[in-house]
Amino acid sequence: AAAVCAPGGPLAIACGIGAGVISWVAVDLLAVEIAEAQGREPMRKALMERLGKRNEELIAQLRRYSGTRSAALAEAHRARLSSAFIPARDG
C-alpha cells in the first residue's frame, strides 16, 4: 500500500495506512462471507431440528394442559350441578 502511495510525497504514510486498513477490512469481510456461506446450511439444518423438537414439546405441553383444564372445568360443572336444586332429583 505504501508503494502505491509513494508518489504522494509526505502524505504517503497516511495514504499507506488508509490503504492498509481498507485492505484489512476487505479481506476480513471476504473471510466472514466465505465462512458464512460454508456454515449456513448445516446451521440452518440444526436450527430447524431444534425448532421441530421444541414444537413437539410445546404441543405435548398444550395437550397436557388442555386435558387437565378440561377435567377441572368438568369437575366444577359437576359440583355446580350437584349443589343445584333439581326438582326431579331433589323434589
Side-chain angles (χ1 to χ4, degrees):
V4 171
C5 295
L11 296 177
I13 294 173
C15 178
I17 291 171
V21 168
I22 291 171
S23 299
W24 171 49
V25 169
V27 168
D28 191 45
L29 182 61
L30 181 63
V32 168
E33 289 291 326
I34 290 171
E36 181 185 339
Q38 290 175 343
R40 181 178 295 139
E41 194 55 37
M43 184 182 295
R44 182 184 181 284
K45 185 178 178 182
L47 284 173
M48 294 306 287
E49 287 175 7
R50 279 183 169 173
L51 286 173
K53 288 178 184 176
R54 184 65 180 143
N55 192 28
E56 291 171 8
E57 292 171 6
L58 287 173
I59 289 171
Q61 286 177 353
L62 285 172
R63 285 184 178 151
R64 282 192 303 272
Y65 174 77
S66 176
T68 303
R69 186 70 180 136
S70 295
L73 288 173
E75 184 57 37
H77 184 64
R78 273 189 226 101
R80 254 185 310 205
L81 285 178
S82 67
S83 67
F85 176 75
I86 301 174
R89 180 188 67 196
D90 302 327

